[in-house]
Amino acid sequence: MNVLIILIPASLILACLGLAGFLWTLRHKQYDDLDGDAWRILMEDDHINDDTEPKT
Amino acid sequence: MADTVILSLPGIHCAGCIGAVERTLTGTKGVTTARVNLSRKRVTIDVNGITSDPLIAALAQAGYEAHALDAAMLTSVDTDAKGRMLLVRLGVAGFAMMNVMLFSVAVWSGAALATQQMFHWISALIAVPALLFSAQVFFQNAWVALRVGRLNMDVPISLAIILAAGLSVYETSIGGDAVYFDAALSLTFFLLIGRYLDHRTRIAARSAAQELSALASPDALLVTGDTTRTIPVSDLAIGDLIRVKAGMRVPVDGQITQGTSDTDRSFLTGESLPVQVHAGSDIAAGEVNLTGPFTLRVTRVGEDTTLARMARLVEHAEGARNKYTALADRAAQIYAPAVHVLALVTFIGWLVLSADAALALNIAISVLIITCPCALGLAVPAVMTAATGRLFRRGLLVKNGTALERLAEIDVVVFDKTGTLTEGHARIDTDALDPTQLSVLAALAQASHHPVSRAIAAALPATLQAADLTEISEHAGLGVMGLWRGIPVRLGRSDWVGAVTSPALQIGDAAAIPLTFSETLRAGAADAVARLQSRGTPVHIFSGDTQTAVSALAAALGVTQARAQMMPDEKLSAIKALSDAGKKVLMIGDGLNDTAALAQAYASISPASALDASRAASDIVLLGRSLADIPDAIDTARSARARVLENFTIAAGYNVIAVPVAILGYASPLAAAIAMSASSITVLLNALRVR
């Protein structure tokens, strides 16, 4: 049962990382245009490394 | 100077559009960045020292229609702090639910004594702060309702969450078994999903309404002496002179003091042909100046204008609609008291039977937790989100939260004519003319900028060879004339060319040939009317246009109930009469003369080409050109209603099984968790069956 001492904090830390990740994506407006992002992945982005490409 | 411009792009729909729009804009001088939002059909542009005009022009050249939106007006919706906060709460609840469930599963599968005790304490440490944060939404709503002495769905929800958490903390501290942290958290999690879906539907409606008002131009050109300057319409006073350029919408009621032109009053009256106006003519706010500039003396401002009077009619009519109670609220009105009475009866029953207050309280709380309307909270929003999403992909924007529920119940459909069943532009009949006459007509029509001439030119086949004319001259208000092989030819008003009806064509001294107009049916109009009638829904036409025009159209569509020359308030009272006769009317219209009727009707639809006020007054906006989707929209609404009722049945079914178990005192935390999750997931899956 001693393994619990490692497993419990490990599972909690992993879950916290997940939550932090979710809050980060939320703050960076990743859910504002779900339709558009679904299409963007198919675009041939010639100007992807361009300075004009806006940051998300 | 860095600035942000937001443009509305109604036509974009795919990856190609995103790429083309962003490339076009970033290639324009003065643009720093451009980012398209396809969900909102908008582009946000960071610019340096330029306005929206060159950007709209650049997009028009690339083939995309764009309208400027008032950035300041839209920011409140874009940031949407409430929706984001709901998502944060949802994330926290989900995180806590999964972790607590991990410990609960261990306890259910046999962890005992010190391990069970420790797991319960860890669960408490995660669950209590998570609940305090995530479930606040329900606590606040419940408090608001209780303070005014009312019950809503949030009261039993809050009570169940608070009691479940409180009981669990107590049980943990005495080393008991009845620990419901996982149930309280999954309850919060599923209900927050429902709450977020509901919020998204509302915000979409609000942002559409804001977009409409952001499109309106609130300025007028005031004439003082020889100069003109732009001032807000609200600053105009009676007696002011304002200049109305061709193509502008008249902002206030007034009388023309100078200038001759033609105005399009189809939005106000439903007349399909432009009306000629000159010095002395009275003009109402909302008419569109088509041909030449004129100066207007303001006769009515603000609350007195025709526009504002119509807005008041709309407001009045909308009051009636707001009396509609959403299905979810009606369910809550029955459900909330029933749940509380049931828990109370259980408590009293066990107290009498066992004389053990702690046990009775324990069982009463488990009844509250089990009966908590988890599935009920999801039943309506999940279905409505699925249905509005389906309709949006077909080009119908649902603006009102209860629109689909009302649309499902309609049993009469009323169409406006001009601009709704028809394209709103009259077309000329060319069958009566021989090729020579046609070629002369084409030449005359092409030479003139008058809207009627342009309609004629557009209606003639493109292959037609126009005759060679010389000495073409346009006579304002009369028509256009020229010389063809030495013979004078004229196209214009009846009294000018010597015919009975306008417009007419005259070649030399021959008798004038009157040209007759017909209207182009909007795509899908015949199909929509036929399908509605074939399934037994009566179709009416209410129009402000002339009797002849309406009868011709009604005959072509096979509609027997058609009324012509109706004033806006007649349309309103006709709708009211139908409602009083027990009918639930779906009104489909586009004009300002329809707005009051749209607001009065049980449900309403307007095409995207409609006036802002009409779109604002209607429940659903048709983004595409075709009307063929209207019967399908009614089908979807009926299917959505059926799914909602099924979901209520499913939720009730779970309670029928679980409640007796809970009342008898056999409810375990495991049973509560299973019942809760299973009913919520069934309800969500059922929502996806909307067709």
Side-chain angles (χ1 to χ4, degrees):
Chain A
M1 276 307 194
N2 286 337
V3 72
L4 286 180
I5 293 170
I6 302 166
L7 281 182
I8 292 173
S11 78
L12 285 179
I13 289 169
L14 284 176
C16 282
L17 283 179
L19 180 65
F22 172 70
L23 294 180
W24 180 83
T25 55
L26 193 61
R27 243 202 324 277
H28 287 77
K29 303 185 177 177
Q30 307 245 339
Y31 303 97
D32 279 13
D33 184 18
L34 297 176
D35 296 347
D37 293 338
W39 282 109
R40 269 173 206 277
I41 198 166
L42 302 173
M43 283 165 63
E44 289 184 41
D45 274 312
D46 295 335
H47 58 295
I48 192 97
N49 296 322
D50 228 322
D51 286 338
T52 53
E53 181 67 9
K55 285 190 206 80
T56 26
Chain B
M1 184 190 77
D3 225 339
T4 304
V5 172
I6 301 176
L7 300 180
S8 157
L9 301 165
I12 60 165
H13 57 88
C14 65
C17 310
I18 300 179
V21 167
E22 289 185 353
R23 266 195 303 280
T24 308
L25 289 173
T26 45
T28 310
K29 202 166 162 281
V31 174
T32 328
T33 63
R35 177 86 185 176
V36 171
N37 185 325
L38 188 66
S39 314
R40 291 183 192 273
K41 295 196 190 293
R42 250 184 228 170
V43 58
T44 309
I45 312 150
D46 289 327
V47 295
N48 232 329
I50 57 169
T51 62
S52 55
D53 296 343
L55 301 175
I56 293 174
L59 284 175
Q61 209 162 29
Y64 295 97
E65 182 188 353
H67 307 286
L69 295 172
D70 188 336
M73 214 160 177
L74 288 169
T75 42
S76 58
V77 171
D78 273 351
T79 48
D80 184 21
K82 199 181 164 213
R84 198 154 291 173
M85 202 60 211
L86 272 175
L87 273 183
V88 172
R89 291 183 206 279
L90 184 66
V92 170
F95 152 82
M97 179 187 76
M98 285 189 279
N99 282 281
V100 167
M101 200 61 91
L102 215 61
F103 296 110
S104 301
V105 168
V107 171
W108 296 334
S109 40
L113 306 171
T115 319
Q116 183 195 13
Q117 189 73 356
M118 179 178 72
F119 281 2
H120 280 166
W121 275 116
I122 298 176
S123 300
L125 278 181
I126 302 170
V128 173
L131 284 174
L132 282 179
F133 175 69
S134 296
Q136 259 177 42
V137 195
F138 308 115
F139 300 158
Q140 281 163 2
N141 282 344
W143 179 238
V144 168
L146 282 180
R147 259 208 321 219
V148 294
R150 281 182 45 245
L151 276 182
N152 61 10
M153 199 76 105
D154 288 326
V155 176
I157 291 173
S158 305
L159 209 59
I161 292 173
I162 292 171
L163 288 177
L167 177 73
S168 305
V169 170
Y170 171 74
E171 285 278 322
T172 303
S173 69
I174 62 161
D177 288 333
V179 174
Y180 288 97
F181 288 127
D182 52 290
L185 281 167
S186 47
L187 183 67
T188 312
F189 179 69
F190 282 118
L191 285 171
L192 278 172
I193 294 179
R195 213 41 71 91
Y196 180 67
L197 293 180
D198 198 44
H199 174 77
R200 274 229 329 211
T201 322
R202 270 166 222 263
I203 204 81
R206 194 143 48 97
S207 108
Q210 282 205 342
E211 203 161 291
L212 294 184
S213 44
L215 275 171
S217 151
D219 291 332
L221 280 175
L222 181 72
V223 182
T224 36
D226 290 337
T227 59
T228 61
R229 63 193 169 92
T230 308
I231 65 160
V233 168
S234 51
D235 289 358
L236 286 176
I238 292 174
D240 280 350
L241 288 176
I242 58 165
R243 191 115 183 106
V244 182
K245 292 187 195 162
M248 270 174 74
R249 195 177 290 282
V250 179
V252 289
D253 290 3
Q255 194 177 41
I256 295 186
T257 56
Q258 187 200 334
T260 313
S261 180
D262 295 84
T263 65
D264 176 358
R265 14 180 104 148
S266 57
F267 277 131
L268 280 164
T269 62
E271 288 167 79
S272 45
L273 288 178
V275 181
Q276 201 200 6
V277 294
H278 43 79
S281 302
D282 286 317
I283 303 284
E287 291 184 28
V288 178
N289 183 9
L290 291 174
T291 36
F294 55 74
T295 309
L296 201 68
R297 181 176 300 282
V298 179
T299 52
R300 279 193 291 235
V301 289
E303 290 296 292
D304 294 331
T305 59
T306 316
L307 209 60
R309 274 183 289 139
M310 285 209 190
R312 271 205 299 283
L313 270 182
V314 171
E315 222 169 274
H316 189 70
E318 265 179 345
R321 175 181 294 171
N322 291 340
K323 287 194 196 114
Y324 181 85
T325 321
L327 274 173
D329 294 335
R330 273 185 274 171
Q333 279 165 9
I334 307 166
Y335 199 85
V339 168
H340 292 137
V341 168
L342 202 64
L344 187 68
V345 168
T346 312
F347 176 72
I348 295 171
W350 276 92
L351 192 64
V352 170
L353 284 177
S354 68
D356 181 347
L359 178 70
L361 188 66
N362 203 329
I363 292 174
I365 290 174
S366 73
V367 169
L368 264 185
I369 296 171
I370 297 259
T371 53
C372 189
C374 189
L376 225 49
L378 273 173
V380 178
V383 174
M384 288 309 160
T385 307
T388 46
R390 183 167 293 276
L391 288 177
F392 185 71
R393 281 191 290 280
R394 307 193 67 148
L396 289 125
L397 176 72
V398 180
K399 284 177 44 219
N400 190 304
T402 59
L404 286 178
E405 291 177 25
R406 283 181 280 112
L407 187 62
E409 293 179 30
I410 60 108
D411 47 18
V412 176
V413 179
V414 176
F415 281 98
D416 167 50
K417 185 182 75 73
T418 317
T420 307
L421 282 172
T422 69
E423 293 282 5
H425 306 291
R427 290 194 164 265
I428 199 91
D429 283 334
T430 50
D431 301 344
L433 303 170
D434 64 38
T436 331
Q437 291 168 327
L438 271 179
S439 68
V440 172
L441 177 66
L444 282 170
Q446 283 165 8
S448 162
H449 291 293
H450 192 277
V452 174
S453 301
R454 278 186 294 180
I456 294 172
L460 295 170
T463 48
L464 189 70
Q465 187 70 43
D468 279 329
L469 297 190
T470 51
E471 294 178 39
I472 296 174
S473 59
E474 188 154 9
H475 299 258
L478 298 173
V480 56
M481 67 180 294
L483 277 180
W484 174 64
R485 296 180 189 167
I487 323 169
V489 287
R490 291 193 282 191
L491 169 68
R493 286 166 59 90
S494 51
D495 42 4
W496 189 57
V497 292
V500 190
T501 56
S502 301
L505 174 73
Q506 190 187 30
I507 298 179
D509 293 331
I513 308 151
L515 300 167
T516 50
F517 281 95
S518 65
E519 288 176 281
T520 335
L521 273 183
R522 187 185 276 266
D527 182 34
V529 170
R531 276 167 65 198
L532 286 169
Q533 284 181 328
S534 73
R535 53 173 89 170
T537 314
V539 175
H540 297 240
I541 295 175
F542 287 180
S543 177
D545 208 350
T546 57
Q547 187 69 53
T548 20
V550 176
S551 310
L553 185 94
L557 288 173
V559 177
T560 46
Q561 310 259 24
R563 292 179 59 182
Q565 284 172 319
M566 293 178 87
M567 299 298 290
D569 44 346
E570 284 174 340
K571 287 197 181 193
L572 176 68
S573 48
I575 298 266
K576 223 181 240 165
L578 278 173
S579 320
D580 290 344
K583 298 287 185 195
K584 289 174 173 161
V585 185
L586 168 65
M587 171 81 198
I588 303 162
D590 75 320
L592 203 53
N593 56 336
D594 299 316
T595 39
L598 285 168
Q600 173 70 38
Y602 196 67
S604 49
I605 300 180
S606 65
S609 55
L611 199 67
D612 302 345
S614 314
R615 286 186 293 182
S618 58
D619 297 317
I620 297 176
V621 175
L622 208 58
L623 298 173
R625 301 246 12 118
S626 172
L627 292 177
D629 287 328
I630 288 177
D632 295 331
I634 299 174
D635 286 344
T636 303
R638 293 200 170 133
S639 156
R641 188 183 156 80
R643 295 294 92 80
V644 166
L645 294 177
E646 276 169 22
N647 278 351
F648 284 158
T649 316
I650 292 172
Y654 271 96
N655 281 332
V656 167
I657 300 167
V659 168
V661 177
I663 292 180
L664 293 176
Y666 293 115
S668 66
L670 177 60
I674 290 173
M676 195 101 62
S677 316
S679 63
S680 301
I681 290 168
T682 332
V683 164
L684 277 178
L685 289 178
N686 190 43
L688 295 179
R689 297 201 304 126
V690 172
R691 285 284 169 271

